[in-house]
Amino acid sequence: MSEPFVFDPRCSLCKEPYGAVPCGQTVTLHCRPMACEAFTHCAVVLQYEFSNTTRELELSCSGPEWDRICYTLQFDVPEAPDLLWYYFRLWRDDGSGCFLDKTGYRSTPVTEAWQITVYRPSHTPEWFGRGVTYQIFPDRFCRTEIPDPTGLPGNRWVHEDWSETPAWAPESDGEIYNRDFFGGSLQGIVSKLEQLRDMGVSTLYLCPIFESASNHRYNTGNYKKIDPFLGTEEDFKNLCAKAREKGIRIILDGVFNHTGSQSLYFNADGYYPTLGAAQSQDSPYYDWFNFQNWPTKYDSWWGITTLPAVREESQSYVNYIIDDYDSIIRRWLRLGASGWRLDVADELPDWFIEKIRSAMDATTSDAFLLGEVWEDASTKVAYSKRRQYLLGTELHSVMNYPFRTALLDYLKGGDANDFREVMETLRENYPHDAFYSAMNFLGTHDTARILTVLGAHEMPSTKQERAAFRLSPQERARGISLVKLAALILFTFPGSPTVYYGDEAGMEGWEDPLNRACYPWGQEDEELQARFIRLGRLRQTYEPLQQGDIVWLYTLGPVMAYSREWRRNRLVTVVNASDSVQPITLPYPTHLTDLLTGQTYFPQEGHLSLELPPRTGLLLH
């Protein structure tokens, strides 16, 4: 044996099965110290997070393997979901020895134990992870007419010019109210369904669509009513029906940690005719909120007073959102939605998310539940509590922010091996279905536009400068070349490739609300758009890109290569993110064709040698 590791849980020589395991499954561990180290005993220390117990089990010596001694143990993981942490203790007959964890041999207590995620198997709808998702900020995607704001909540005003920059500066009182609208609508989305289908889109994720005082609608005014600027309940049903005819499903944004101060439930400005919690302690919604000094001092999301936080433990709130026959979760699924994305999932209790999942499962058999989580969801700690998002009874999967972060680091000059390490950590920690159903993206409504991030030399220091900023022709050309590479990886990686509206058209913009400008109909970057369309159709056509296993072939410096393999069908993604020509040699017995350009490559003696031009990507088949 010449492998350099004593223990590597990603290698079948050391651990089977790979990664996360279902409850009650048998796990086999092999620890393989060098024979010259003369260890005579090996034990594994198992720490069970949620049951708060620790066990130490000694491995049996299964004999020498070349220059190593192999110690082996089989054990069953718990019957209940848990997070299992483990490390090894090795010692000799004379009592000397050490610990072994991720950092290597240690004489002192362990600092980085390995992880096994133990989850309860459950059904994960296949339609989400296999297909392409398109995220729409509804007010800014497409309008069919300029709406009239008269009589609507929020003291709105409407831009007549679709191409104007969204209002970004504070108003005279220093507050930002997000009350400027452009008038995008559900009917506008319907009018573009054909174009979306041509890009291979199979899921539309809509930012909030319910009545609200702001253009982003994350301060919900009425969960039971479509915002009048967007349309009506009938318009929503029509969108869902028309989308389904084209093989497209709708996921809604559920904002259940807080409402708006200008809402039916809080009603601070008295817009709604019924009593809100801020108007009377006899309001049916008073119990939903936690007042320190009624009515002006109350819990709110991150201290933002326009976003009063909800008491999820209020039974009337739970009934309204989840349990009632016509609850918000169930109502909109029955009207045509296929899933929910939970805003700020970290702010929602585990039991609350579990009840949402149960209500969805009871309402429709294939609804998908996605969570907004910015870190590794298997180890996330929120409010000093380890979360249980992916253990089988809560979320199907999460927004994959680690994917975006690692990909940007790589494309901006980082090492491909670092990207691989981040992704392999997630693949190892997540249940299989959660990893292959993750929402991967290059940008969202909460991040700067991908073209701006990859094209700009530096970020301007003031908001005013960022609002006026536009990439120079040179910056834009470089940015587009890198966005093409980013899109290639996005569309060929496990998980649902998600496009934030307008990224495929070459939209620019720094942070909110500059990243939420209107879609540039008629002024799209046609070359970039064509790349996204091509990749979307390839994703739709080739089964390996939808559900194939990922196999890493090469990651070093700016060059990366991996394959997706399914039933003897194999596609290989090759990327050079640098500004210089890079060589790469891959073992391959037959000729390959780049599905992006049609060029054919012929291997020599079982190896394919390529000279990759700067910022070039191939998809070989």
Side-chain angles (χ1 to χ4, degrees), residues 333-509:
L333 290 177
R334 292 192 183 103
L335 289 172
S338 293
W340 287 94
R341 175 261 191 189
L342 298 183
D343 183 58
V344 293
D346 296 341
E347 312 280 343
L348 300 172
D350 284 296
W351 63 264
F352 190 86
I353 297 175
E354 186 170 350
K355 286 182 73 70
I356 290 176
R357 170 75 175 271
S358 295
M360 291 173 63
D361 289 345
T363 304
T364 180
S365 62
D366 64 348
F368 193 86
L369 183 59
L370 183 80
E372 180 194 10
V373 181
W374 286 58
E375 301 85 8
D376 181 334
S378 73
T379 56
K380 172 68 179 182
V381 175
Y383 298 97
S384 302
K385 181 179 176 60
R386 183 82 71 181
R387 304 308 301 267
Q388 302 185 38
Y389 298 127
L390 301 180
L391 298 187
T393 60
E394 297 185 26
L395 304 173
H396 287 110
S397 195
V398 292
M399 300 179 72
N400 199 350
Y401 275 94
F403 171 87
R404 177 183 185 269
T405 301
L407 182 57
L408 287 180
D409 287 345
Y410 162 60
L411 293 173
K412 293 168 75 173
D415 194 315
N417 205 49
D418 293 336
F419 174 78
R420 170 182 174 170
E421 177 60 28
V422 173
M423 293 301 97
E424 282 299 280
T425 297
L426 294 184
R427 189 165 76 96
E428 185 180 9
N429 291 352
Y430 285 14
H432 176 276
D433 289 351
F435 180 77
Y436 280 81
S437 294
M439 175 187 271
N440 301 332
F441 51 84
L442 307 180
T444 72
H445 63 290
D446 287 326
T447 69
R449 287 281 178 179
I450 183 65
L451 180 55
T452 298
V453 172
L454 292 178
H457 291 304
E458 59 183 6
M459 180 177 177
S461 58
T462 69
K463 188 92 172 193
Q464 183 175 5
E465 290 172 326
R466 294 194 292 275
F469 179 86
R470 297 295 181 272
L471 295 170
S472 70
Q474 295 78 16
E475 288 177 321
R476 188 172 173 88
R478 176 181 171 80
I480 286 177
S481 66
L482 289 173
V483 171
K484 287 181 179 179
L485 293 186
L488 172 60
I489 297 169
L490 175 71
F491 278 83
T492 60
F493 207 77
S496 178
T498 301
V499 179
Y500 181 46
Y501 81 102
D503 277 351
E504 81 283 10
M507 288 182 66
E508 301 179 24

Side-chain angles (χ1 to χ4, degrees), residues 214-227:
S214 69
N215 54 47
H216 56 69
R217 301 187 174 97
Y218 281 95
N219 51 340
T220 310
N222 185 346
Y223 289 106
K224 290 188 175 182
K225 183 180 180 182
I226 301 294
D227 191 274

Side-chain angles (χ1 to χ4, degrees), residues 189-203:
I189 297 173
V190 170
S191 71
K192 302 299 181 181
L193 286 175
E194 190 71 29
Q195 179 170 323
L196 293 168
R197 184 179 68 172
D198 287 346
M199 198 169 73
V201 170
S202 57
T203 304

